[in-house]
Amino acid sequence: MTSRPERRSNRPALSLHVPEPDARPGESPDFSAIPIPAAGSAPRPPVDAAAADTHPLCYTLVRVLDQDGRAVGPWDPKLDPELLRRMLKEMVTVRVFDERMFRAQRQGKTSFYMKSLGEEAVAVAAAHALEAEDMCFPTYRQQGLLVARGYPLVAMMNQIYSNQGDPLKGRQLPIMYSDRARGFFSISGNLATQYPQAVGWAMASAIRGDSRIAAGWIGDGATAEGDFHNAVTFAGVYCAPVILNIVNNQWAISSFSGIAGAELTTFAARAIGYGIAGLRVDGNDALAVYAATRWAAERARSNLGPTLIELFTYRAEGHSTSDDPSGYRPKDAGAAWPLGDPITRLKEHLVGLGEWDDERHKALEEEAQAAVRQAQKEAEAKGTLGNGHYDDIDTLFEDVFADVPWHLAEQREQARAERKARGK
Amino acid sequence: MNMIEALNSAHDVMLGRDEAVVAFGEDAGYFGGVFRVTAGLQKKYGKTRVFDAPIAEGGIVGTAIGMALYGLKPVAEIQFADYIFPGFDQIFSEAGRIRYRTAGEWSVPMVIRSPYGGGIFGGQTHSQSPEAFFAHMPGIKTVIPSNPYDAKGLLIAAIEDPDPVLFFEPKRIYNGPFDGYYDRPVTPWARDPRAEVPEGHYTVPIGKAAVVREGEAVTVLAYGTMVHVALATAAVEGIDAEVIDLRTIVPLDIGTIEQSVKKTGRCVVLHEATRTAGFGAELSALVQERCFYHLEAPVVRVTGYDTPYPHSMEWDYFPGPARLGPALKAVLKD
Ligand SMILES: Cc1ncc(C[n+]2csc(CCOP(=O)(O)OP(=O)(O)O)c2C)c(N)n1
């Protein structure tokens, strides 16, 4: 043990500050310190505004839907009711899907699952504000991108189950999807790595004079990684056509966002030091997410550079199936989140427009349940991790390189022989 | 051509042939890199094909991966191999695995070039040989040339390769071969036949070693600068050594190694990197596994020490003829 040096009596002892969240288990959730500006109050700068002109927007919240579900203010994207209904449907589908797969994990059909409860608008609305051929570099809570881009639910489940239909041959942890055809880049378990990759893809698109842009997503906790800063540096320096989304759901497993610096400033304000455009957005407001993404996409498409978007939301569930959030925060925190539920808010908006009602909503939920149930049936027919998972020993050695070199071929022989010896 | 010119020519050929090739790195654009490997290329191909990068190796590797995913063939320079570690996670966890984790849906055809190795009084932070870290990584190829002809052909092959390739350049021999006799005047590449480098496109295949000196008494396995040390030591000591230049350590040309060791019955492994868990350990194990009944003596490793690279005592550290000579004689004793 090192001994404590003797302190000079005329100097105060130094003390270390370790941030603490507003409430811990047993206490009432307390969101009173969070300022929530009125919907419609944030100005909308022209798409070609100087980056610095957006910087006041890093300290407020771009919000479109007000308390009564009306779309107000300059950021209202004025979407067609058809598109609004489609987004609602996809958000409901994601929620139902999450619920089912969470249960499948509990039933031992897969090893792991991660829900996006309360964050469905973040991915679904962004997907519609981007073009289909734009490239997405997501993290693990943007399954809504795949749903919105029409990836089959069965294929998602096959991946989760690591079954015979798994497009990734049983190699990835559940939910770490990849779908090149729909511009959804493979998810990495190493946090933040996708962020500079998104920027590199966008730089390449610009180098080639292409018209496609890239978008990346990262969690509030992972912004502390060096790769986050690498990405924003490169994006700014080269004026890369990229949208850098920070999903601030306020929790990184059991560490609250203050541990990543949220007490000091907003995550959107990270844009300021890098001199790029920044927006802070109500992440539970599908219209605001859409409008902000659209704004940033138009900016990127016009060679006006990257935008950093903080999507302020709340992780209403545990981090994953391996996490019990009641151990570190009040039980009902998700329900108390003052920015509400993204699905309820979009639904109320549509009802207010006269484009939706409770009956249709109930039918939509049933339809989503049926679609997910049907997909699950099809997927489970191909096996689950618990029973009938992907099993082809030869493929274990494929795709390390384009061709199988001698040392892997030898190891493949060994694996085959070991199986044979075990009578398989 | 010297090795720098040969590498420059490889870039030039590939930038000219293939629109998808881009080159970047710290100081690599306008100035052409601290060793001038990319000199003149920005002027010729424009600054969106050859450009300077921020001092952020993780960013350089991470964005290069993104470019490769797009369909470009980035050639990223890490200014010194000693500085590759901030990019380590992007190489190890990402570049090396993307093909595998996506079941072949995506690949990362990218090259990371970096000058490595000692003998230039670079101190601890400009002298290291980190190849073993990368040889240990699944999904990464590791290439190390020893002369200008190979350097150009291997770099072109690396750029054309569909997988991520680490290309370590022995900086001590950029301007001329170096045999480890540090007090002798250095001869330029001009007098070496391996410096006759064609102007146009050609490749030297990745994964093929070269027998650079035939012999019957002992096999010396080496790469990079150490190839020259092996050749000179064998000549000076009058030892009938067969010297193999591995050229690529992953994938390794095991056939050539096996054939030679079975013929000579003795093997010395030579590299600059620290000894413990260095690539020499792998070579020694492979030879032992495959050639045991042909061996007349234990396989011996001649390497750097397990210390950081010292500045003032560089020649004590460097595994030159003074360390290789006695090792060869010892292996030949019984
Ligand atoms: C480099 C790295 N470090 C640690 C982890 C373990 N880990 C997985 S998720 C997570 C929390 C991430 O929090 P955040 O970025 O806020 O995203 P969220 O889960 O809230 O969506 C951690 C620490 C990891 N996967 N990768």
Side-chain angles (χ1 to χ4, degrees):
Chain A
M1 214 172 77
T2 54
S3 63
R4 193 193 291 262
E6 208 167 296
R7 180 156 51 89
R8 285 187 286 170
S9 57
N10 61 344
R11 295 279 188 276
L14 300 172
S15 66
L16 183 73
H17 171 66
V18 179
E20 272 298 321
D22 293 323
R24 285 297 193 185
E27 298 170 346
S28 297
D30 179 11
F31 293 112
S32 59
I34 295 176
I36 299 181
S41 63
R44 183 183 186 280
V47 163
D48 62 356
D53 294 343
T54 67
H55 292 166
L57 291 165
C58 295
Y59 297 111
T60 179
L61 270 186
V62 171
R63 305 183 65 218
V64 173
L65 293 173
D66 70 8
Q67 290 298 88
D68 306 315
R70 274 181 315 218
V72 295
W75 285 93
D76 177 7
K78 302 206 161 56
L79 299 182
D80 185 69
E82 200 48 52
L83 178 56
L84 293 174
R85 279 190 291 264
R86 185 163 164 203
M87 292 191 336
L88 185 69
K89 178 180 170 180
E90 289 157 359
M91 285 161 63
V92 168
T93 304
V94 169
R95 188 165 291 183
V96 170
F97 185 94
D98 277 358
E99 195 44 50
R100 280 243 153 206
M101 291 297 98
F102 188 88
R103 257 189 288 149
Q105 190 275 341
R106 291 293 187 246
Q107 293 162 348
K109 292 171 180 170
T110 187
S111 56
F112 180 77
Y113 194 72
M114 285 175 125
K115 287 181 167 184
S116 64
L117 187 76
E119 303 175 28
E120 293 89 347
V122 163
V124 170
H128 289 287
L130 295 169
E131 303 286 336
E133 63 270 21
D134 292 335
M135 258 302 292
C136 297
F137 289 81
T139 169
Y140 44 70
R141 243 180 268 284
Q142 282 85 51
Q143 52 267 58
L145 292 172
L146 281 176
V147 172
R149 285 188 164 185
Y151 190 61
L153 300 180
V154 186
M156 290 171 74
M157 288 180 184
N158 288 342
Q159 196 281 325
I160 291 164
Y161 287 141
S162 275
N163 67 16
Q164 300 299 335
D166 177 4
L168 306 181
K169 304 188 177 172
R171 290 176 184 163
Q172 276 273 57
L173 198 64
I175 62 95
M176 299 209 171
Y177 312 105
S178 174
D179 185 40
R180 186 171 188 153
R182 285 175 190 76
F184 185 97
F185 182 63
S186 153
I187 293 165
S188 176
N190 293 52
L191 293 174
T193 52
Q194 75 284 1
Y195 232 50
Q197 292 165 6
V199 175
W201 195 98
M203 288 170 67
S205 188
I207 288 168
R208 294 313 295 272
D210 196 339
S211 60
R212 293 173 294 164
I213 64 169
W217 284 260
I218 196 170
D220 49 288
T223 58
E225 286 283 359
D227 267 345
F228 170 81
H229 304 276
N230 286 336
V232 190
T233 299
F234 277 68
V237 166
Y238 299 109
C239 199
V242 65
I243 304 173
L244 295 168
N245 296 290
I246 300 171
V247 185
N248 177 8
N249 66 13
Q250 303 182 56
W251 290 89
I253 317 188
S254 72
S255 302
F256 88 117
S257 54
I259 295 294
E263 277 184 354
L264 306 167
T265 185
T266 67
F267 288 100
R270 305 255 187 292
I272 298 171
Y274 293 94
I276 69 171
L279 301 172
R280 192 158 182 263
V281 177
D282 176 350
N284 288 23
D285 176 344
L287 295 188
V289 174
Y290 182 99
T293 308
R294 196 63 189 226
W295 184 93
E298 272 179 49
R299 197 173 162 85
R301 275 185 229 294
S302 321
N303 283 312
L304 296 162
T307 305
L308 189 73
I309 302 180
E310 173 184 350
L311 299 144
F312 196 40
T313 180
Y314 195 81
R315 197 193 78 210
E317 273 274 7
H319 172 75
S320 70
T321 45
S322 318
D323 176 41
D324 174 9
S326 70
Y328 54 80
R329 70 183 192 193
K331 258 198 162 71
D332 44 354
W337 174 236
L339 290 174
D341 178 276
I343 292 182
T344 310
R345 286 177 69 189
L346 183 56
K347 177 197 164 197
E348 279 168 4
H349 174 59
L350 270 162
V351 171
L353 289 177
E355 296 285 348
W356 201 241
D357 52 49
D358 285 343
E359 215 166 296
R360 285 155 91 181
H361 195 74
K362 202 160 158 262
L364 168 64
E365 282 176 335
E366 279 164 11
E367 195 189 319
Q369 287 284 2
V372 170
R373 221 174 15 240
Q374 177 57 29
Q376 191 176 14
K377 225 166 96 185
E378 280 176 48
E380 290 182 7
K382 291 203 162 72
T384 65
L385 184 66
N387 191 355
H389 62 82
Y390 186 89
D391 188 35
D392 177 352
I393 191 72
D394 280 8
T395 67
L396 182 65
F397 301 92
E398 289 166 5
D399 302 319
V400 178
F401 296 108
D403 302 311
V404 180
W406 69 269
H407 62 286
L408 288 173
E410 277 192 10
Q411 291 166 25
R412 182 175 57 201
E413 284 310 313
Q414 181 185 346
R416 284 179 187 154
E418 282 179 10
R419 275 209 166 175
K420 218 167 169 184
R422 291 205 311 270
K424 250 187 106 175
Chain B
M1 287 185 200
N2 65 25
M3 198 187 282
I4 290 170
E5 292 157 344
L7 291 164
N8 183 276
S9 172
H11 280 86
D12 193 5
V13 166
M14 292 310 290
L15 284 158
R17 263 168 91 96
D18 188 348
E19 281 270 293
V21 176
V22 294
F24 70 110
E26 293 156 24
D27 304 306
Y30 181 82
F31 183 63
V34 291
F35 291 102
R36 318 303 320 279
V37 168
T38 50
L41 298 173
Q42 182 176 78
K43 206 162 180 193
K44 189 162 174 187
Y45 295 101
K47 65 179 191 175
T48 61
R49 304 274 314 277
V50 182
F51 52 93
D52 292 325
I55 303 169
E57 292 75 15
I60 291 172
V61 180
T63 53
I65 291 171
M67 292 178 202
L69 295 170
Y70 176 92
L72 296 191
K73 292 178 189 152
V75 185
E77 177 177 291
I78 300 295
Q79 198 160 69
F80 289 86
D82 310 69
Y83 308 132
I84 204 163
F85 296 98
F88 201 76
D89 183 50
Q90 284 284 350
I91 302 172
F92 180 66
S93 312
E94 301 296 315
R97 292 191 201 163
I98 284 170
R99 182 189 290 283
Y100 196 74
R101 81 181 198 217
T102 65
E105 193 177 48
W106 302 80
S107 61
V108 184
M110 122 184 138
V111 180
I112 301 171
R113 293 181 33 245
S114 195
Y116 88 103
I120 56 145
F121 282 102
Q124 293 179 36
T125 56
H126 299 81
S127 305
Q128 285 163 99
S129 300
E131 67 275 9
F133 293 99
F134 302 96
H136 191 57
M137 288 182 179
I140 301 287
K141 294 178 178 172
T142 302
V143 175
I144 304 171
S146 72
N147 61 70
Y149 181 89
D150 285 1
K152 177 172 173 181
L154 285 166
L155 182 56
I156 291 175
I159 297 170
E160 291 176 345
D161 196 279
D163 289 307
V165 178
L166 277 182
F167 194 91
F168 285 124
E169 300 164 8
K171 59 181 161 308
R172 184 62 179 82
I173 58 173
Y174 267 153
N175 289 303
F178 174 66
D179 56 17
Y181 289 95
Y182 57 89
D183 40 4
R184 294 205 299 215
V186 174
T187 53
W189 275 112
R191 284 203 239 127
D192 193 300
R194 289 161 302 176
E196 273 171 36
V197 177
E199 290 289 339
H201 177 279
Y202 68 90
T203 58
V204 171
I206 289 176
K208 277 304 297 156
V211 180
V212 290
R213 180 188 203 272
E214 288 190 20
E216 299 293 329
V218 54
T219 299
V220 182
L221 303 178
Y223 47 88
T225 305
M226 292 299 117
V227 172
H228 303 273
V229 172
L231 289 171
T233 310
V236 168
E237 303 284 352
I239 292 169
D240 186 18
E242 180 143 301
V243 178
I244 296 179
D245 176 357
L246 297 177
R247 297 200 289 208
T248 305
I249 61 170
V250 176
L252 187 66
D253 183 354
I254 191 69
T256 299
I257 295 171
E258 236 183 288
Q259 203 179 5
S260 174
V261 177
K262 283 180 178 165
K263 178 180 78 177
T264 61
R266 294 168 208 269
C267 181
V268 172
V269 173
L270 174 66
H271 64 57
E272 274 187 80
T274 50
R275 180 185 195 81
T276 300
F279 193 67
E282 177 64 28
L283 289 169
S284 167
L286 279 169
V287 167
Q288 188 276 138
E289 280 171 5
R290 285 162 193 265
C291 309
F292 183 76
Y293 295 106
H294 297 79
L295 286 175
E296 313 275 349
V299 179
V300 163
R301 285 177 288 164
V302 177
T303 69
Y305 298 129
D306 286 338
T307 70
Y309 212 102
H311 182 235
S312 66
M313 290 178 286
E314 179 168 81
W315 298 123
D316 294 291
Y317 182 94
F318 192 87
R323 200 171 308 153
L324 179 61
L328 285 172
K329 283 184 221 155
V331 170
L332 287 167
K333 215 162 60 204
D334 356 82

